[in-house]
Amino acid sequence: MSDDFSLKKPAQGGEEGGWALTLADMMTLLLCFFVLLLAIADVDQKKYKDVSDSLASAMGVDVPPKGANDTYEGAPVARRVISDQQRNIFEMQLEMARLVGRESDALKIKMRPDSVAIVLKGGFFFPSGQADLTSGARRVLGKIAPTLAKSPYQVVVEGHSDNIPIRSKQFPSNWELSSARASAVARYLLDNGFSKDRIKVLGMADTAPAYPNEDDNGNAIPANQKRNRRVVLLVYPPKNK
């Protein structure tokens, strides 16, 4: 039989096995992720620092060894790779996520460099063109309001709209509508024990869209307009006095 018809054994580790290596890497990363969540679930400060520094080291970042104070390998140590503020923000995100549970239709939680953003979806929280909280909105806010009230966190409530003009008697423009919606959320927090000294309210109208309201040809993108109708709770760590 000629060489053209001979059976060749696939090379070990070749293209045929590449998917297996990729899958193994993905499973390892997922395992590490869940181990990390489990390790910090009780928000133990010492454990949190140990885990975060280990994670930073695994990603190739220099972390001062335990016990190092002012110098590391003969050079001054300016700061820890992961600051206490970053840890506080991550802990806040975990805390908010535990409180709201599975409420993807109502909100989403994002971690920012200086705060945690709780994005309240306008279609769930308010009737169209109005600023009265729905019963579902009150139910969801009821999950986080007591904890926020007892916390030292600072909160900024931002109201956002799409670019579709509104000219009702109550709301002459999107400025009034976005401000009224943000105020409704802030008022709910205040009525449930949150301190007025730690909250600010901003009406943004359509000046800060999360997604483009229109395409390059100026045509409206309804799905994006819907997502831009929102109230954002920016939760900041307590200020150092």
Side-chain angles (χ1 to χ4, degrees):
M1 186 175 293
S2 66
D3 292 341
D4 292 339
F5 293 92
S6 60
L7 296 176
K8 295 182 178 180
K9 184 178 180 181
Q12 190 72 21
E15 293 183 359
E16 295 81 354
W19 66 270
L21 294 176
T22 302
L23 179 62
D25 289 342
M26 183 184 70
M27 296 302 293
T28 301
L29 289 173
L30 284 174
L31 176 61
C32 292
F33 174 73
F34 286 115
V35 168
L36 173 63
L37 289 183
L38 180 62
I40 62 176
D42 59 356
V43 196
D44 183 303
Q45 290 293 332
K46 183 179 183 303
K47 187 185 297 183
Y48 189 91
K49 290 181 180 181
D50 291 343
V51 172
S52 59
D53 285 349
S54 297
L55 184 59
S57 297
M59 293 186 293
V61 179
D62 265 351
V63 178
K66 293 182 180 179
N69 294 320
D70 298 326
T71 60
Y72 173 46
E73 293 185 351
V77 176
R79 61 179 177 84
R80 298 179 67 85
V81 173
I82 300 176
S83 68
D84 288 338
Q85 183 184 33
Q86 289 171 318
R87 290 190 177 94
N88 289 338
I89 292 170
F90 187 53
E91 290 165 9
M92 286 161 48
Q93 183 190 31
L94 290 178
E95 185 176 17
M96 294 298 104
R98 284 196 296 265
L99 290 173
V100 299
R102 296 182 179 181
E103 294 285 359
S104 59
D105 291 338
L107 56 79
K108 58 183 175 181
I109 300 176
K110 297 181 178 180
M111 187 168 67
R112 296 186 177 184
D114 60 347
S115 62
V116 173
I118 305 175
V119 183
L120 313 178
K121 300 181 181 181
F124 182 92
F125 275 78
F126 302 97
S128 178
Q130 300 180 34
D132 298 317
L133 292 171
T134 63
S135 58
R138 294 179 178 277
R139 174 181 58 79
V140 173
L141 287 175
K143 294 183 177 182
I144 61 177
T147 297
L148 286 177
K150 296 175 184 177
S151 76
Y153 302 151
Q154 306 284 327
V155 172
V156 175
V157 188
E158 294 181 346
H160 298 267
S161 72
D162 57 27
N163 64 337
I164 302 174
I166 182 173
R167 294 185 179 90
S168 67
K169 184 177 181 180
Q170 185 178 9
F171 305 115
S173 73
N174 280 320
W175 289 106
E176 287 82 6
L177 177 61
S178 62
S179 298
R181 288 183 168 182
S183 296
V185 173
R187 187 165 55 249
Y188 184 94
L189 296 180
L190 293 173
D191 290 344
N192 285 271
F194 198 85
S195 172
K196 64 179 181 180
D197 298 326
R198 295 187 286 113
I199 195 168
K200 294 181 180 179
V201 177
L202 299 175
M204 309 288 286
D206 63 339
T207 61
Y211 306 91
N213 285 301
E214 300 175 345
D215 61 22
D216 294 338
N217 297 321
N219 299 314
I221 308 176
N224 285 359
Q225 290 174 325
K226 180 180 179 181
R227 289 189 285 182
N228 285 329
R229 298 191 288 269
R230 67 202 191 279
V231 172
V232 181
L233 291 178
L234 296 176
V235 186
Y236 292 86
K239 294 181 180 179
N240 296 324
K241 296 183 179 181

